Structures are given as structure tokens and as C-alpha cells.
Amino acid sequence: MMEIKVLTLFPNFFDSFKETSIIKRALDKESVQFTAINFRDYTLDKHNNVDDTICGGGAGMLLACQPIVDALKANTKANSKVVMLSPQGKKMTQKLVRELAEHDDIVLLCGHYEGFDERIRDYVDEEVSIGDFVLTGGEPAALVLSDAIIRLRDGVIRSDSHEDDSFENGLLEYPQYTRPVEYDGKKVPDVLMSGHHENIRKWRLKESLRKTYLRRPDLLDGRTFTSEEQKLLQEVMDEENKKQTSNDENQ
Ligand code: 4GY
């Protein structure tokens, strides 16, 4: 059993997420519990404010310590992992998702306005960014992170269906096809219809390497290769180099 609690000013933002297919199934099966909590409920301000002007001046407002720290104290246990969503955080990767999915109690903190009072970070275990861009609030980021965590928990999807996922083995996924075997003159590769499991496995590995080499060569830099992968990658590089050379000659 895992619980994800999101501390947010906009708990309704997550309503459609909770009602949607795979996530809904996970929540119904009670393998995961997902709750959105409004940290405005914890403010001691007489006007219910959670923000204030910025010390030293400047435009806009910042989230103040009191409502958020009190909401964190009321909604965390000794084993909770508190994660703040912000563009200043560690970049979200599948590796980070796998690590977070090990925790049974996760508290996600979503900000708004110009951001958080810096002292709030003392109550946070991890600051995560979903990418180098700026959203109006942390909610879409918390939704993205929750989705990636929930699908890894037992029973959400068949485990063999994420073992081959892009990134789970450090490579992009190989090309996949469904019927018909010919569509608009485009054929499914013969090997996939051959029933020859070893040839299919090899073809998939090679095409995974090709896609990664062409689209995300940065993923190959930090990776170690089996001797089979080494050989297939060399073939891919030779084939792609040859294509490039013949393209150049026709320019
Ligand atoms: N990128 N990754 C992100 C974001 C919005 C001002 C703090 C991101 O995670 N969160 O852009 N968040 C900001 C808006 C307050 C959060």
C-alpha cells in the first residue's frame, strides 16, 4: 500500500486524474491512495492568506512558511518522503521515479505565485523539476510525477510491459506494429511476422540501439554495452554512416 498526498492551493486540479483509467484502477484496487490537500486550510492568517510580499522588494508574492510547514507537519510521518516541485529541483528521470516509487508515503508540495519562502526548503527531502521550463504552478508537475510513480507500483500494469519501456534499459523503445500487416503500402517488417523469437529479439535490440543513436545519442554516452549490443551498435553506425554518405553524394 502506497499513499501519495499532494499539498496544493488547487486540490480540484487532480479530480480528472483520479477518475482516469489506469490511475483510477490503481486507486480502486487500493494499491495506491491519492489525496489532494489544500494547505490554505492550515493558515492562521485572519484573512486566510497563504502568501506575502517579498522581503527586499520586487513584484509579486511568495508562499509564506506557516501554512505550508504546518500542513507538512500535519500530513507527514517518520517514513514520509517530502518532495517539492520546482524548476530549481533535480531533473526528473525514470531512475528518480524508480527511487521515489520505493517509498510508501510521499508528500508532494505544489507552489504558486513567485515561489516559496526559501526556509520552506528545510522541511523538504527532495526538490524535483519535470524539465527546464516554468509553469504557473507545481500542480501539472505533481500530476506528471504521480502518474510515473503510480504505474510502477505492483498491479497497475503488467510488469513485463514496463521492462522494455524507453529508459528502463537506458535505450529508447524499438518500433512496434499492430495489424494490418500492410497499411497504405507500408509493411510490417517481415522478421516480426516470422515467429522466430531469437531473430525478433535481436531485431528489436538493434532497432532500439538505432533509435537511440539517431535521436538521443546522449543516452549512449553514459551506458555500458554487452558484446552483443556493441556489435549491433557498430552495424547500426555503419549502416547510418553509409546512408549519410550516399545522401551527401546526391546533394
Ligand atoms: N518545471 N518542474 C515546475 C514548475 C512552477 C512558481 C513554484 C517544473 O516542477 N515544477 O515550473 N513549477 C513554479 C511556479 C512557484 C513552482
Side-chain angles (χ1 to χ4, degrees):
M1 180 62 187
M2 156 182 258
E3 181 162 19
I4 299 178
K5 283 165 280 199
V6 187
L7 302 187
T8 169
L9 290 175
F10 300 95
N12 297 137
F13 181 92
F14 299 91
D15 289 352
S16 64
F17 175 64
K18 286 190 286 185
E19 290 303 314
T20 301
S21 71
I22 290 179
I23 301 307
K24 184 168 170 44
R25 227 196 310 140
L27 304 181
D28 288 350
K29 280 176 55 181
E30 296 193 78
S31 53
V32 185
Q33 202 175 314
F34 182 93
T35 327
I37 297 158
N38 194 335
F39 59 76
R40 193 183 296 280
D41 295 345
Y42 293 86
T43 186
L44 299 175
D45 178 81
K46 58 181 183 295
H47 298 110
N48 250 251
N49 289 327
V50 293
D51 58 339
D52 208 338
T53 55
I54 303 173
C55 297
M61 306 284 273
L62 275 188
L63 289 165
C65 292
Q66 181 274 316
I68 290 181
V69 174
D70 285 355
L72 283 174
K73 285 182 174 159
N75 291 285
T76 52
K77 308 177 281 187
N79 69 338
S80 299
K81 183 83 170 169
V82 178
V83 179
M84 171 189 276
L85 283 309
S86 121
Q88 300 171 36
K90 181 195 279 187
K91 194 86 72 72
M92 179 178 161
T93 60
Q94 192 62 26
K95 176 168 179 279
L96 181 60
V97 172
R98 277 194 299 264
E99 284 164 15
L100 291 174
E102 300 280 312
H103 294 267
D104 289 327
D105 195 85
I106 297 178
V107 178
L108 302 180
L109 179 56
C110 303
H112 263 268
Y113 314 113
E114 299 343 293
F116 300 93
D117 184 307
E118 188 67 22
R119 294 167 289 186
I120 293 170
R121 292 191 163 85
D122 293 347
Y123 304 84
V124 165
D125 298 313
E126 191 106 63
E127 191 167 344
V128 173
S129 167
I130 65 161
D132 290 340
F133 39 77
V134 184
L135 305 168
T136 60
E139 286 77 11
L143 194 151
V144 165
L145 183 57
S146 297
D147 187 281
I149 291 170
I150 291 170
R151 79 183 274 285
L152 288 188
R153 293 294 290 210
D154 288 350
V156 176
I157 55 169
R158 279 169 48 234
S159 78
D160 66 346
S161 109
H162 53 73
E163 276 156 16
D164 274 354
D165 283 350
S166 289
F167 304 116
E168 287 293 350
N169 64 2
L171 299 174
L172 300 185
E173 199 167 78
Y174 46 78
Q176 299 188 99
Y177 304 85
T178 185
R179 289 177 296 182
V181 169
E182 187 170 339
Y183 178 78
D184 198 18
K186 298 173 235 293
K187 280 203 71 194
V188 173
D190 288 333
V191 60
L192 299 179
M193 308 308 291
S194 70
H196 194 304
H197 298 301
E198 174 57 13
N199 287 354
I200 292 171
R201 183 196 65 78
K202 247 201 167 84
W203 182 88
R204 286 177 166 167
L205 178 56
K206 183 170 176 178
E207 296 314 313
S208 253
L209 287 160
R210 187 190 311 279
K211 226 177 221 195
T212 311
Y213 173 68
L214 291 174
R215 297 185 180 193
R216 292 293 306 278
D218 59 300
L219 295 178
L220 298 178
D221 293 340
R223 194 177 180 281
T224 54
F225 298 93
T226 64
S227 56
E228 180 187 37
E229 289 169 343
Q230 192 75 254
K231 173 176 159 284
L232 292 173
L233 180 58
Q234 192 57 57
E235 289 176 18
V236 163
M237 295 196 312
D238 292 346
E239 288 162 15
E240 295 302 324
N241 266 328
K242 199 145 119 208
K243 268 190 220 163
Q244 197 45 55
T245 312
S246 71
N247 280 344
D248 290 347
E249 281 164 355
N250 292 329
Q251 284 298 306

